[in-house]
Amino acid sequence: MLGTVLASALLLTGAAPAVTGAGWTPSPIVWSACPDDPDSPAPPDGECGTLRVPLDWNSPTGPTITLAVARHRATDSAHRLGVLLADLGGPGSSNAEFALTPGFFSPEVQARFDVVGFDVRGTGHSEFIDCPDTGPPPGDEPADRTEFAALRKYSEQAISTCRARNRPVFDHANTAANAQDMDALRRALGEPQLSFLGISYGTLLGQQYAEQHGDRVRAMVLDSSIDHSAGLDRFLGDRAAAADGVFRRFAAWCDRTTTCALHGQDVFAVWQQALSVIGAPARSDLRDRVLKDMYGPDWDDAAQAIAEAAAGNPPVTAQFSYNYASIRLAVVCQDFDLRIRDFAQYSALHAEELRRGPIMRGSTLGHGEAMACLGVHGPPANPPHRLDIARAPHLLMLNSRYDPATPYAWALSIHRQAPANTTLLTYEGSGHGVYPRNACTRAAVDRYLLTLALPPQDVSCPA
């Protein structure tokens, strides 16, 4: 564990990636009607286009790739404030689709901004990364050195096969490269500055853009933030602790809510029973489903799933949309140093996960990402580091106090890294994603985006 702590300390002092691609000029985007999609028809004010960017920003005269872009034009063009770029996160979400769903933003924001989204590398219609099926993996909680070696071998093969199928973009899909693409998009749109709203993993794109091109930021909202300074211990431990914190909130809700499927029972005891009566694969699925239910939160579904599992009927787990399982190998594994050297280091890390999150037995999200990256060799292309946004304007951060995916501790860490130009709004409730929660959270974001007015100090909104 000492090695992990030392590695984390070294990462905290690392510098932000250097800005590259000087002298490269993007072509203007040619807008046209979006392709027909009966499942997701484009709104009347929606348009689609493409943007060509260098595959490797360190070699801007080399091969290029095409990124899908979409926008929903400001409904009050006479009072248009500019472009609001949106990133839904994941990784794996289609930001182009997100931009064409204007109902997420308030009518006032839709009126004053062109809402724009681009599918970052490997997602949507931008060089989609799709890993072939390599068969069922061994369990991701190895009990001994033999099982650890088997999991590492499986992970190495899975990553090698996926990389071979999705080259060359697989090697150039990290978030620092996406931030360079974002500035190319700004230039292609002819905008001197951008406003930005990123959610979850999308906040990392915002942070890295603010580091690289802070003077090009008009306003930036970071909703449920990824802490890029997190080393392996915090990447796993903070999420484990956060998941347990939300589970305790769920148990309290069940105790006072008669419609809860576990009402009147010892929720913690039933949970342990559910985990003990089902097999290992189903146990992982149950933990994953309950974690996803915490995002809403959807307490009713979590209670029903636990009740069914305790009765010996494990439910089917919910999965990330899009291609999360594939693209995390090219993105998360290159944005974070998730390289576990050996079984001894894994044992120490996992013991800390269980110490900090004994109820949920760690976070299936954090643990799953770390173990999926087990077969990655070499240092990360976009190494973790402390946030440096000295050139950026004042940013607005939002986070639920009880967030299972992006722990509140991460928001506090980022806020401490940039105290001079970040304001933190805390939603005093559970769930992942804050902006549309209630009138308080929406009003704070809308006021900032529309007028650049921020609270004089950190504030909170009631659940």
Side-chain angles (χ1 to χ4, degrees):
M1 191 56 141
L2 178 60
T4 303
V5 174
L6 289 174
S8 298
L10 290 172
L11 290 170
L12 292 181
T13 62
V19 176
T20 55
W24 187 86
T25 303
S27 299
I29 297 172
V30 178
W31 297 104
S32 61
C34 296
D36 290 335
D37 184 349
D39 296 323
S40 303
D45 295 313
E47 299 175 313
C48 290
T50 58
L51 173 71
R52 292 201 70 81
V53 295
L55 170 68
D56 182 354
W57 279 101
N58 291 309
S59 301
T61 59
T64 60
I65 57 174
T66 301
L67 306 178
V69 185
R71 72 176 175 185
H72 177 263
R73 295 191 304 275
T75 56
D76 182 3
S77 58
H79 298 94
R80 177 182 176 276
L81 289 172
V83 164
L84 172 60
L85 196 72
D87 188 326
L88 187 56
S93 301
S94 171
N95 297 322
E97 286 187 18
F98 185 40
L100 296 174
T101 310
F104 178 82
F105 296 101
S106 67
E108 294 78 11
V109 170
Q110 295 176 51
R112 305 296 297 278
F113 289 97
D114 291 344
V115 178
V116 175
F118 75 101
D119 290 342
V120 299
R121 298 169 181 229
T123 70
H125 296 286
S126 296
E127 308 289 339
F128 192 76
I129 291 176
D130 183 23
C131 297
D133 184 2
T134 53
D140 69 357
E141 296 185 40
D144 52 37
R145 287 178 172 79
T146 300
E147 290 186 5
F148 181 84
L151 180 59
R152 181 191 290 279
K153 182 178 180 180
Y154 172 88
S155 178
E156 288 174 338
Q157 183 59 48
I159 292 171
S160 176
T161 303
C162 186
R163 179 172 178 263
R165 176 169 173 167
N166 295 282
R167 293 184 71 184
V169 72
F170 188 92
D171 293 336
H172 301 279
N174 65 79
T175 301
N178 290 326
Q180 287 290 73
D181 296 342
M182 181 170 157
D183 198 61
L185 175 59
R186 176 194 64 79
R187 288 183 283 160
L189 293 171
E191 297 287 333
Q193 290 184 313
L194 292 173
S195 296
F196 177 85
L197 184 145
I199 304 171
S200 192
Y201 213 85
T203 63
L204 185 54
L205 176 63
Q207 292 171 58
Q208 298 219 264
Y209 185 80
E211 287 185 313
Q212 295 177 5
H213 307 282
D215 56 338
R216 300 301 185 181
V217 177
R218 174 188 170 272
M220 181 170 288
V221 178
L222 305 176
D223 185 344
S224 308
S225 291
I226 296 288
D227 183 3
H228 198 215
S229 73
L232 252 171
D233 49 351
R234 288 180 50 226
F235 190 91
L236 294 168
D238 288 353
R239 278 175 159 169
D244 267 27
V246 183
F247 192 98
R248 293 187 184 95
R249 300 268 298 180
F250 159 68
W253 171 87
C254 235
D255 287 344
R256 65 175 183 267
T257 306
T258 58
T259 56
C260 173
L262 304 177
H263 182 69
Q265 304 178 61
D266 183 332
V267 174
F268 298 98
V270 178
W271 170 245
Q272 294 302 325
Q273 178 186 349
L275 293 175
S276 66
V277 300
I278 56 180
R283 188 181 307 127
S284 179
D285 286 348
L286 175 63
R287 291 169 56 220
D288 192 54
R289 175 164 168 177
V290 171
L291 183 76
K292 299 305 189 298
D293 281 339
M294 292 176 175
Y295 283 31
D298 187 347
W299 296 145
D300 285 306
D301 187 76
Q304 190 63 41
I306 294 170
E308 291 175 1
N313 301 306
V316 176
T317 184
Q319 297 294 333
F320 268 97
S321 300
Y322 305 106
N323 61 332
Y324 163 75
S326 295
I327 197 172
R328 66 180 179 175
L329 302 179
V331 178
V332 180
C333 298
Q334 294 301 332
D335 285 341
F336 289 91
D337 193 7
L338 306 179
R339 280 80 168 147
I340 300 177
R341 296 185 306 275
D342 50 35
F343 181 70
Q345 185 189 18
Y346 165 77
S347 296
L349 288 166
H350 192 46
E352 184 68 2
E353 276 188 284
L354 296 178
R355 185 190 71 80
R356 298 191 64 189
I359 301 170
M360 290 285 288
R361 304 186 185 183
S363 164
T364 54
L365 176 62
H367 188 92
E369 288 180 340
M371 302 316 285
C373 299
L374 189 62
V376 175
H377 296 285
N382 180 31
H385 58 271
R386 291 184 63 86
L387 185 66
D388 180 5
I389 52 172
R391 292 191 300 152
H394 212 99
L395 315 183
L396 177 61
M397 298 176 58
L398 319 172
N399 221 92
S400 295
R401 188 174 292 278
Y402 306 99
D403 186 322
T406 53
Y408 188 63
W410 287 6
L412 293 176
S413 172
I414 295 167
H415 193 26
R416 286 193 295 267
Q417 292 169 48
N421 54 346
T422 56
T423 293
L424 176 60
L425 183 153
T426 301
Y427 170 67
E428 301 289 351
S430 304
H432 183 53
V434 172
Y435 169 57
R437 288 283 167 185
N438 57 31
C440 176
T441 57
R442 189 178 287 277
V445 173
D446 287 355
R447 186 183 310 113
Y448 169 60
L449 288 176
L450 294 169
T451 69
L452 301 182
L454 283 163
Q457 58 189 8
D458 294 343
V459 295
S460 64
C461 284

